[in-house]
Amino acid sequence: MKKLFTFLSLCLLSIAASAQEYVFTDAQGNTYDDGAVINRTEVEVINDDFGESIILPGNLFIKNVGAEEGSQVAIETQITKIDNGSLQICFPTNCKIISAVGTYESEGKASLASGEAKDLTTEWLPTEYGECIVTYTAKSYQPLASEGTAVRTITVKYKYADPAVMQNWWGYVTGNESFSGVGVNSADTYHCAIYIPGDHAIAAGKTINAVRFGLIAPHATNAKVWVASDLPVTVDASHTLSFVDVPESKLGNEQIDIELPSAIEIPAEGIYVGYSFTITSVSTTADQYPVLFGGEPATNTLILKTDKAVTTWSDLVSNNFGRLFLQVLLEGTFPEDNAKAADFGPVYVEVGGTATVAVPVMNAGGTPISNIDYTITSDGVTGAEQHAVATTPIIFNTTGNVDILVQGDAVSGTKTRTINITKINGQANANANVATSFVVNTLSELVARNVAVEEYTGTGCGWCPRGLIGMDKLRENFGDRFVGIGIHQYNSGDAMYIASSAYANLNFEGAPSCRIDRGAVIDPYYGTGTDIIEDFRAEMAIPALAKVNVTGTIDAQLTKVNAKAEVETVLEGKEYNLEFVVIGDGLKGTGSSWNQSNYYAQYSASQVEPDLAIFASGGKYGKSSVTGWSFNDVALVSSYVSSKNQVPTLGTLSIGEPVEREYSLKMPTKATLKNAVKDAELYIIALVVDKQSKKIVNAAKAAITVANPDAIETVNAIDDTEVARYTLDGRRVNNAQKGLNIVRMANGKTIKVINK
């Protein structure tokens, strides 16, 4: 399965309306679609000689939009549910009062001029809370005809609800996320679902009245929404609690709302809600990856199977996908003030200092949150109540940030604290007994973090050109703060291939992909959303847990790199590992092993991202096999041998006591790569890895210098052209530098040149 990162705009053909005679409209003249279902919940209180009564007006009109001259219209009323009270309809003049389920004809017919509309004057008069569901059918009577023809229907759901009982759309996504798509890239029938546990903080005790989802694929058909007690092996009416057809006219939209025939209560054992559809053609990207998802991955929020490709239900949280765009219309009692801090952190703060922390607050109540009061507990002691204001008001089923101040400890170390929201807008929090834990790292000093991006790539990967561009974007935007490592392991025929046993096992499954500081697997161009730059910037804002410096020298024959790093912790009691990597910039060569596969060549420049246009048809590299590309950040060798890091562990470090490690790395011997390395810029990278979390806490990168430039020997002594240039300290450069330069010639000679 692949993510879809850019959705193409869909051009939908307008369909000419069929010939019409009569239509239903509202009081403002807006026309309802044939078969529409509308809700009426607005209550009017009438006081007259008979006392006080409640009515729910239908506000429904019938309009002549093309009926034959001399024709008439009658209204048939079919009541399918009436909990109490009576329904009244006065059309065209006489009133009929109905209090039982059944089908009823109007007391006469109306003659309407072309364009004329007439009020049905229909209303439900309940005697207590409840619901009345009515389908009105307009029947056209031609001149002299004794039988009418049904030409239009509309269903009205009247609902007189307890004010304490509300309806709210809820889901694992809010609907405001940036959505991507997932699919099997073939014609298939999809089934997608979420699971709602019976004890869910918001959904428990509520009923489900409707389902909302999105389906923009132009070749989607036969869509259904369904509710089931268990994930059904066969998704059909006999294996579900509710199985509802989705009108074809609704497909192709980013938001589709489908009402259930009757509300379904969420049981104690939980419930599954989903939708199914068939893709008949994968001629567009939206058809290839039609299931919309967004947000952070979480269990039970994106469960999927298909009839052909993925025949068993799979929770895609393990694939690091986000949450299915599916919401349900919940009905029940929602506390006005109900909120909890979502998981956040860790928090980094200097010894004795304070840090401003954006705490995500989830609103599970009906009142938008403008401010909160909270307490923080540390070492069993609860501090004084504090006040904080939300960045923007937080509405129901959304999470918004509230900035709080966190105090650092007197000494460096790691502690777990809890935050408890006691009040919302000055009112007691209904969820006040539920605290959220977070970790506070108190650092001896705040050290800027260099961020390592390890990318899984290869010349045989046709989508990997976007990874090449993504890594170059990070280099251009963040300079030395970016520590890029391109791991060419996708195909062994790659000239830059590095064996899996020669690098850390990062569990990449597909290319291109990457990990930032060994976090989650993400796309090296789009990141978790639309731009890897945003993910990098967020990681860069986190202080480093250790300081690190690195140097590297290489022998004159370019066969061995001696690496040295010094590491000093700023967090007491942490245990780290140290890894070394040699990378090369500007690697290029000739032959098929250097040719980069390119799937973007099948698209025009307008169909791809602007900075990928060079790989599109007509672009500089717009061929299916790219030649002449200069590869950067290429991992040449690491301190891993036989899948084990050979650098001695740093152990548990103490503040103020730097530790030094050295290690020698043997350079590649394969001729095609060795020849390219001669003309490349070489760098040594040191990665400081938290032994417990396995994440990189800081990285350093430095140019590799030649240990003895005067001893450089050539491999191919054929002429006196310049093949390499070095500064006096042995640093390899591409152009003449001011001062003394050491130049290596192709015939084996080494000369010294002074540039002014």
Side-chain angles (χ1 to χ4, degrees):
M1 298 182 186
K2 294 180 181 288
K3 287 184 181 179
L4 164 66
F5 298 98
T6 304
F7 290 120
L8 304 179
S9 298
L10 304 180
C11 300
L12 304 178
L13 296 177
S14 60
I15 301 175
S18 58
Q20 298 176 346
E21 297 182 39
Y22 298 95
V23 296
F24 289 108
T25 74
D26 61 15
Q28 289 73 42
N30 299 307
T31 300
Y32 293 109
D33 291 337
D34 186 24
V37 178
I38 61 175
N39 297 295
R40 291 292 183 258
T41 57
E42 187 174 346
V43 173
E44 294 183 5
V45 180
I46 304 297
N47 287 289
D48 53 24
D49 294 341
F50 300 99
E52 183 179 276
S53 58
I54 301 293
I55 67 169
L56 280 76
N59 291 325
L60 196 60
F61 293 71
I62 188 72
K63 182 178 180 181
N64 180 353
V65 293
E68 182 180 337
E69 186 175 352
S71 65
Q72 294 181 301
V73 62
I75 301 297
E76 178 186 273
T77 303
Q78 181 184 25
I79 301 178
T80 55
K81 180 181 182 181
I82 184 165
D83 290 338
N84 57 74
S86 58
L87 179 81
Q88 178 174 278
I89 178 170
C90 302
F91 185 88
T93 55
N94 296 330
C95 294
K96 183 187 290 289
I97 298 177
I98 312 164
S99 57
V101 169
T103 302
Y104 307 88
E105 294 285 344
S106 59
E107 299 287 342
K109 308 176 187 68
S111 297
L112 302 179
S114 178
E116 181 184 357
K118 184 171 181 59
D119 192 347
L120 270 60
T121 319
T122 179
E123 56 197 20
W124 178 43
L125 293 82
T127 55
E128 56 184 290
Y129 300 133
E131 190 175 33
C132 177
I133 302 176
V134 185
T135 297
Y136 298 101
T137 301
K139 288 188 171 182
S140 175
Y141 286 80
Q142 301 302 315
L144 304 179
S146 59
E147 296 292 330
T149 301
V151 294
R152 205 77 167 177
T153 65
I154 190 169
T155 298
V156 180
K157 290 187 174 182
Y158 301 91
K159 187 161 191 174
Y160 180 35
D162 183 341
V165 177
M166 298 182 291
Q167 287 188 337
N168 282 302
W169 284 103
W170 169 86
Y172 293 115
V173 295
T174 65
N176 297 320
E177 295 85 353
S178 296
F179 290 113
S180 299
V182 62
V184 296
N185 196 13
S186 62
D188 207 337
T189 296
Y190 289 80
H191 310 284
C192 326
I194 63 172
Y195 172 69
I196 307 173
D199 60 352
H200 189 274
I202 294 176
K206 311 296 193 301
T207 60
I208 300 172
N209 292 266
V211 177
R212 171 179 290 172
F213 67 103
L215 187 56
I216 65 173
H219 293 99
T221 186
N222 194 31
K224 319 282 185 182
V225 298
W226 48 269
V227 182
S229 299
D230 299 292
L231 287 171
V233 176
T234 303
V235 184
D236 57 22
S238 62
H239 295 88
T240 54
L241 301 173
S242 186
F243 193 73
V244 185
D245 288 323
V246 179
E248 293 286 327
S249 60
K250 288 182 175 286
L251 300 182
N253 292 305
E254 295 180 355
Q255 180 176 303
I256 301 170
D257 294 350
I258 302 297
E259 290 196 48
L260 301 181
S262 57
I264 295 179
E265 185 175 353
I266 298 174
E269 58 272 20
I271 204 163
Y272 291 89
V273 184
Y275 66 95
S276 303
F277 61 93
T278 298
I279 294 292
T280 58
S281 169
V282 289
S283 57
T284 73
T285 310
D287 291 310
Q288 295 165 7
Y289 314 112
V291 180
L292 302 184
F293 69 92
E296 293 296 318
T299 303
N300 292 324
T301 64
L302 174 50
I303 310 170
L304 181 144
K305 85 179 189 83
T306 73
D307 284 358
K308 298 176 183 176
V310 186
T311 56
T312 58
W313 286 104
S314 299
D315 191 329
L316 299 191
V317 65
S318 59
N319 300 90
N320 204 44
F321 292 111
R323 307 174 182 203
L324 181 65
F325 174 34
L326 185 149
Q327 295 179 314
V328 292
L329 184 61
L330 295 179
E331 181 176 297
T333 302
F334 295 85
E336 285 297 300
D337 302 292
N338 188 344
K340 177 181 180 293
D343 290 337
F344 66 98
V347 175
Y348 302 90
V349 60
E350 200 167 9
V351 170
T354 59
T356 299
V357 180
V359 176
V361 175
M362 172 65 187
N363 187 3
T367 304
I369 299 174
S370 297
N371 58 79
I372 64 169
D373 292 281
Y374 65 94
T375 58
I376 292 178
T377 300
S378 180
D379 293 330
V381 178
T382 300
E385 191 174 65
Q386 302 178 66
H387 186 75
V389 177
T391 306
T392 57
I394 307 168
I395 62 175
F396 172 78
N397 192 39
T398 63
T399 299
N401 288 335
V402 178
D403 289 341
I404 69 169
L405 283 179
V406 174
Q407 179 72 41
D409 288 321
V411 294
S412 175
T414 300
K415 283 186 179 178
T416 298
R417 304 181 188 178
T418 59
I419 181 172
N420 188 38
I421 299 175
T422 56
K423 295 176 184 174
I424 299 170
N425 303 332
Q427 303 299 313
N429 180 15
N431 208 9
N433 295 324
V434 181
T436 300
S437 298
F438 63 101
V439 173
V440 178
N441 291 312
T442 302
L443 311 178
S444 61
E445 61 179 296
L446 299 181
V447 176
R449 175 197 292 253
N450 296 325
V451 178
V453 181
E454 295 167 294
E455 182 207 15
Y456 179 57
T457 186
T459 56
C461 163
W463 296 117
C464 284
R466 76 166 179 265
L468 299 176
I469 297 298
M471 295 287 277
D472 280 349
K473 284 201 308 182
L474 294 175
R475 174 199 300 270
E476 293 166 6
N477 281 272
F478 299 103
D480 293 340
R481 300 289 298 280
F482 165 67
V483 181
I485 305 172
I487 308 167
H488 286 246
Q489 290 180 341
Y490 180 79
N491 56 299
S492 59
D494 187 334
M496 297 158 284
Y497 179 76
I498 181 171
S500 58
S501 61
Y503 200 87
N505 181 12
L506 301 183
N507 296 312
F508 289 114
E509 294 183 358
S513 54
C514 74
R515 292 181 184 270
I516 298 180
D517 282 338
R518 296 194 180 165
V521 176
I522 62 175
D523 189 87
Y525 180 88
Y526 295 101
T528 56
T530 60
D531 195 341
I532 185 72
I533 286 177
E534 299 306 317
D535 298 273
F536 188 96
R537 185 175 285 118
E539 186 73 11
M540 192 173 63
I542 301 171
L545 299 187
K547 295 184 285 187
V548 57
N549 295 299
V550 65
T551 59
T553 60
I554 193 167
D555 63 294
Q557 290 72 37
L558 308 181
T559 61
K560 185 174 70 173
V561 172
N562 291 317
K564 181 188 292 185
E566 183 182 81
V567 179
E568 181 181 353
T569 188
V570 293
L571 180 61
E572 191 66 36
K574 293 297 291 183
E575 189 172 1
Y576 304 111
N577 291 327
L578 179 66
E579 300 175 18
F580 289 111
V581 187
V582 175
I583 66 164
D585 281 356
L587 269 73
K588 60 170 57 178
T590 58
S592 60
S593 64
W594 289 96
N595 295 350
Q596 175 66 54
S597 179
N598 175 28
Y599 292 162
Y600 289 95
Q602 63 187 304
Y603 301 107
S604 66
S606 63
Q607 291 177 301
V608 301
E609 306 289 356
D611 49 9
L612 295 178
I614 59 172
F615 293 108
S617 177
K620 181 179 180 180
Y621 299 102
K623 294 183 178 180
S624 59
S625 182
V626 173
T627 59
W629 185 264
S630 181
F631 294 89
N632 294 325
D633 310 311
V634 178
L636 299 171
V637 62
S638 84
S639 54
Y640 276 80
V641 178
S642 299
S643 302
K644 183 178 180 181
N645 180 33
Q646 301 299 315
V647 181
T649 181
L650 294 171
T652 303
L653 303 187
S654 297
I655 292 170
E657 299 179 6
V659 175
E660 191 175 272
R661 291 287 184 270
E662 293 188 50
Y663 182 74
S664 293
L665 302 96
K666 293 181 180 180
M667 292 292 286
T669 58
K670 188 168 59 175
T672 54
L673 185 53
K674 187 174 181 180
N675 288 335
V677 166
K678 289 189 303 179
D679 298 320
E681 296 179 15
L682 301 179
Y683 296 89
I684 183 67
I685 290 173
L687 304 175
V688 183
V689 182
D690 186 319
K691 191 171 182 179
Q692 182 177 10
S693 70
K694 310 301 183 185
K695 290 199 64 178
I696 296 170
V697 300
N698 205 357
K701 172 181 173 182
I704 294 175
T705 60
V706 178
N708 183 8
D710 289 319
I712 293 175
E713 297 179 2
T714 183
V715 176
N716 296 310
I718 55 176
D719 57 33
D720 60 356
T721 57
E722 178 181 327
V723 295
R725 181 179 290 261
Y726 303 85
T727 58
L728 185 60
D729 61 1
R731 181 168 52 87
R732 178 75 175 271
V733 293
N734 288 329
N735 302 305
Q737 304 292 306
K738 186 175 181 180
L740 181 63
N741 286 203
I742 300 169
V743 180
R744 178 164 60 88
M745 315 303 290
N747 60 12
K749 295 181 180 179
T750 299
I751 62 175
K752 297 179 179 179
V753 178
I754 297 177
N755 296 304
K756 296 182 179 180

